[in-house]
Amino acid sequence: MTNKADKALLPAGMSDVLAPDAAFEASVLDRLLADFAGHGYDRVEPPLIEFEESLLTGIGAGLAEQTFRLMDPVSQKMMGVRADMTPQIARIASTRLINAPRPLRLSYAGQVLRVRGSHLRPERQFNQAGAELIGADGAAADTEVIVMAADALGRLGVTDLSCDLGLPTLVPDFCRGGPAGEGGDADLQTRLRQALDRKDAAAIAEFSDELGEDTTGPLAAMLAAAGPASGTLKTLGSLGLKGAAQAGMKLLNDVVDRVQAALPDLTLTIDPVENRGFEYHSGVTFTFFAKGVRGELGNGGRYQANGGAGSDSEPATGFTLFMDTVLRAVPAPELRSRVFLPIQTTAEDAAGLRAEGWITVAGLEECGDGEAEAARVGCSHVLDGGKVRKINKSNKE
Amino acid sequence: MLRVNEKLVLALPKGRILNEVMPVLRDVGIEPEAGFEDSDDRRLRFATNLPELDIIRIRSFDVATFVAFGGAHLGVCGNDVLLEFDYPEIYAPVDLGLGRCRLVVAEPEDMIGSDDPATWSSLRVATKYPTLTQAHFAGRGVQAECIKLNGAMELAPQLGLCRRIVDLVSTGNTLKANGLVEIEQIAAITSRLAVNRAAWKTRPDEIGHWITKFRGAVDGDAA
């Protein structure tokens, strides 16, 4: 590896973040976490690596395929690099903070590493920021996290934000007792799930032989009902759902009313059959999108937090924002002006300028033409005779 | 950021399917500008009678990619392409019922009866659909080594690339003309209305409007 190109090549999905993006990302993260802290969510910081057995149990079980593993030479146990921080927060809540009063509000931010990137997110390492509300159930708790996330994104300057609500338990509750229900034909369930995930209306219709029109009819209606919240709720209401499915729908309705009351400008949609990415969720889920921005800004929802097999679980809800997408949706920051200080400048003058909000770039040696040197090192201004002066761009070679 | 794309973009596949799609397009009230159906026109993006909607004309495999990445908000492509890529960002809410065909495994006539599929552990297949083919055979414990071709799959067995192919069949005439016989079907194929997930969520009224229109056009035909 003597060649420059060899040295520059990074593994797939990894990248160097340079100026001004690195500073921008850090400042956006700071603003988000300050926002969460303002709502009483205390920041915690779990380690990058944990033992596999604690990282990949409970809600982390689905992440096994995405987790890089390495062996700890000290304990001789297998360790995993976190692919998602939520399971770590759940672990902290159910172990170290088991005696803390409920509801417990925690926030976090950090890098995660994944084995594979996806088509839309080829990055294998990226920043997550999020918050979890643990030990609280019901529509008020669901609403709190949705509104806090939407509000935080809005405050960052994300425009045309929309929130897509889901209820991954709706289809299983509806199918309960039938062949596609719990304990039924596992293969049939997988195929039905795939068809629903792709929103493939034709494939749903093909299930009518196996499930009967009584089941596929309402499923097709649920699939077609995805869209603006009020319309979806109306359709769901007309399906005559019973039992747990009906209770779930009522809860969804309640959450929609509360979120709309808090944030009347937020576009709210409902996707009653959405399940992808919500495999471990047990109640209302949500995904944030911004108009014209590729991919999800973040997602979250209700789940049962437990610290692994055997421990008690408690209701929790929370969300994770994906910083790569969030940054695409946030307006680019205004660059602060940089002023070049010739070597004669006193430390006092330099400090004064920084206090005024300038970025100062000090000259380290005598240079004849201050203006040319300022242009060369990327400054927009130069300190000349005690006065800050904008440089004349045409002087730049 | 894709802010410039405030207009909705509908991606349509070039070739055979396009002729079948045009009537549906007119049913839903979309009239492309002159030159769209002229295959000599070198432009790729066309305006329509609707100021808020543009059409692009690309290969059917690329329809799925443009829709998945949000470059096009809506598209028409076969579920062969959707299954091959299985992009989580694409929804296929309407079956347009066009371009009906089947994705099948075929082998030379003279092999029929001489080999028992139950004994296979691996096999070589020429196909345009390596992912689908691999998944299909893996489902019964067979490792499929795929040779990716972009057309004329039927030649591969004759010229010794492999003995089996996985390809689309509508009438079966091409297979027959090349001495091949269909041995099993992997999937039934029709064209679907494909929708970008983020576009559906962020512009629910506009996208919902088009889904309803297309669904109406298809149901109208069936009645």
Side-chain angles (χ1 to χ4, degrees):
Chain A
M1 287 248 202
T2 49
N3 181 319
K4 227 184 202 168
D6 286 344
K7 260 192 225 158
L9 181 69
L10 296 173
M14 304 291 168
S15 60
D16 292 322
V17 184
L18 306 179
D21 302 339
F24 180 43
E25 179 164 8
S27 83
V28 168
L29 264 179
D30 278 352
R31 282 150 71 191
L32 278 175
L33 286 160
D35 221 297
F36 304 158
H39 285 86
Y41 285 72
D42 295 325
R43 183 163 182 184
V44 292
E45 192 140 334
L48 199 55
I49 298 175
E50 283 190 28
F51 289 124
E52 190 188 51
E53 58 200 38
S54 64
L55 197 59
L56 302 182
T57 49
I59 60 169
L63 292 166
E65 274 182 27
Q66 281 292 4
T67 304
F68 273 91
R69 292 172 176 85
L70 56 164
M71 167 120 114
D72 179 12
V74 178
S75 65
Q76 302 277 307
K77 289 212 282 187
M78 219 45 192
M79 305 188 299
V81 182
R82 65 185 179 208
D84 183 8
M85 290 178 76
T86 311
Q88 298 187 298
I89 308 302
R91 175 184 58 73
I92 290 176
S94 62
T95 54
R96 259 168 273 292
L97 296 178
I98 185 85
N99 294 323
R102 295 319 198 232
L104 186 61
R105 292 180 169 91
L106 300 175
S107 65
Y108 59 91
Q111 300 275 347
V112 296
L113 189 64
R114 297 199 170 164
V115 170
R116 254 179 239 99
S118 63
H119 281 112
L120 278 197
R121 178 177 289 120
E123 292 88 357
R124 295 202 286 176
Q125 182 187 338
F126 55 89
N127 250 320
Q128 281 189 339
E132 307 294 327
L133 174 54
I134 296 153
D137 209 347
D142 288 323
T143 307
E144 173 171 313
V145 293
I146 294 171
V147 170
M148 181 171 82
D151 204 32
L153 287 168
R155 233 183 291 225
L156 288 176
V158 176
T159 51
D160 294 321
L161 186 69
S162 76
C163 175
D164 185 45
L165 298 172
L167 191 62
T169 52
L170 185 65
V171 172
D173 282 342
F174 171 72
C175 292
R176 183 153 298 144
E182 208 177 299
D185 181 347
D187 172 59
L188 178 67
Q189 286 169 29
T190 313
R191 285 184 292 128
L192 184 64
R193 187 69 264 158
Q194 270 181 352
L196 289 170
D197 283 347
R198 293 178 185 132
K199 297 249 182 325
D200 190 337
I204 297 294
E206 282 168 20
F207 282 100
S208 58
D209 293 344
E210 287 170 278
L211 296 174
E213 289 276 353
D214 293 354
T215 306
T216 54
L219 283 176
M222 284 184 209
L223 192 145
S230 54
T232 310
L233 286 173
K234 209 177 283 171
T235 311
L236 289 181
S238 70
L239 291 178
L241 299 174
K242 293 185 188 65
Q246 192 199 22
M249 202 199 81
K250 279 222 170 91
L251 175 72
L252 197 57
N253 210 331
D254 197 3
V255 172
V256 168
D257 287 346
R258 286 167 189 254
V259 173
Q260 258 164 358
L263 298 171
D265 292 336
L266 180 70
T267 307
L268 264 188
T269 55
I270 297 180
D271 188 338
V273 302
E274 182 67 270
N275 185 60
R276 273 196 275 215
F278 295 115
E279 286 77 9
Y280 66 74
H281 288 80
S282 58
V284 174
T285 61
F286 49 91
T287 310
F288 291 104
F289 295 93
K291 198 165 170 176
V293 177
R294 175 162 41 87
E296 305 174 354
L297 272 64
N299 62 31
R302 179 160 295 288
Y303 59 96
Q304 285 294 322
N306 60 354
S311 63
D312 291 336
S313 69
E314 52 184 335
T317 182
F319 62 86
T320 300
L321 301 178
F322 309 112
M323 292 312 291
D324 50 334
T325 322
V326 170
L327 290 177
R328 284 201 294 267
V330 176
E334 262 184 50
L335 293 179
R336 281 166 65 201
S337 301
R338 302 162 79 92
V339 57
F340 177 74
L341 309 180
I343 191 160
Q344 307 81 354
T345 314
T346 64
E348 209 180 355
D349 286 350
L353 286 169
R354 281 193 294 273
E356 284 172 28
W358 290 94
I359 292 175
T360 62
V361 178
L364 299 177
E365 53 192 54
E366 204 59 62
C367 58
D369 183 353
E371 192 153 316
E373 181 62 8
R376 193 184 69 79
V377 297
C379 292
S380 52
H381 294 72
V382 63
L383 187 68
D384 187 11
K387 285 228 162 65
V388 173
R389 178 165 58 81
K390 197 165 174 57
I391 62 171
N392 188 351
K393 288 278 179 189
S394 62
N395 282 1
K396 204 172 154 185
E397 283 180 36
Chain B
M1 260 189 256
L2 307 170
R3 280 275 145 76
V4 284
N5 279 0
E6 282 298 353
K7 270 191 176 189
L8 282 182
V9 175
L10 169 67
L12 296 179
K14 293 203 270 199
R16 184 173 58 92
I17 304 292
L18 190 58
N19 300 331
E20 295 188 41
V21 174
M22 291 315 293
V24 179
L25 225 51
R26 297 205 163 101
D27 269 4
V28 301
I30 301 172
E31 184 61 52
E33 65 177 306
F36 178 70
E37 282 179 280
D38 176 3
S39 52
D40 288 334
D41 197 313
R42 311 302 292 178
R43 283 178 303 167
L44 300 169
R45 182 171 180 161
F46 298 85
T48 65
N49 57 330
L50 306 169
E52 70 279 9
L53 184 85
D54 274 1
I55 296 182
I56 55 173
R57 191 175 63 185
I58 48 185
R59 281 163 174 267
S60 86
F61 270 69
D62 296 339
V63 169
T65 309
F66 271 85
V67 174
F69 282 82
H73 307 93
L74 299 160
V76 171
C77 65
N79 60 327
D80 52 332
V81 178
L82 295 177
L83 290 170
E84 173 68 14
F85 289 120
D86 202 11
Y87 285 119
E89 295 301 312
I90 296 186
Y91 291 149
V94 183
D95 183 355
L96 299 173
L98 307 172
R100 237 170 248 288
C101 55
R102 295 168 308 120
L103 186 69
V104 304
V105 185
E107 63 181 24
E109 222 167 346
D110 50 19
M111 275 173 62
I112 301 287
S114 66
D115 90 330
D116 174 7
T119 61
W120 298 347
S121 57
S122 69
L123 80 168
R124 194 146 28 121
V125 187
T127 181
K128 207 170 161 181
Y129 305 93
T131 316
L132 258 176
T133 304
Q134 247 158 6
H136 172 73
F137 285 107
R140 35 191 243 211
V142 177
Q143 189 65 252
E145 181 195 322
C146 295
I147 303 175
K148 171 88 185 346
L149 294 178
N150 292 310
M153 253 68 63
E154 295 81 1
L155 274 176
Q158 277 179 40
L159 300 180
L161 269 68
C162 58
R163 293 190 294 179
R164 293 175 191 81
I165 66 167
V166 166
D167 198 10
L168 292 182
V169 173
S170 53
T171 57
N173 288 340
T174 317
L175 284 186
K176 211 169 182 184
N178 289 284
L180 298 172
V181 179
E182 172 186 338
I183 49 175
E184 62 180 326
Q185 174 172 328
I186 297 180
I189 309 296
T190 49
S191 288
R192 310 291 164 94
L193 179 71
V195 179
N196 175 265
R197 177 165 172 249
W200 194 348
K201 309 296 186 193
T202 53
R203 305 168 78 164
D205 294 318
E206 294 160 85
I207 301 281
H209 162 78
W210 287 115
I211 293 172
T212 315
K213 278 254 185 175
F214 274 96
R215 192 177 284 135
V218 173
D219 291 348
D221 284 351

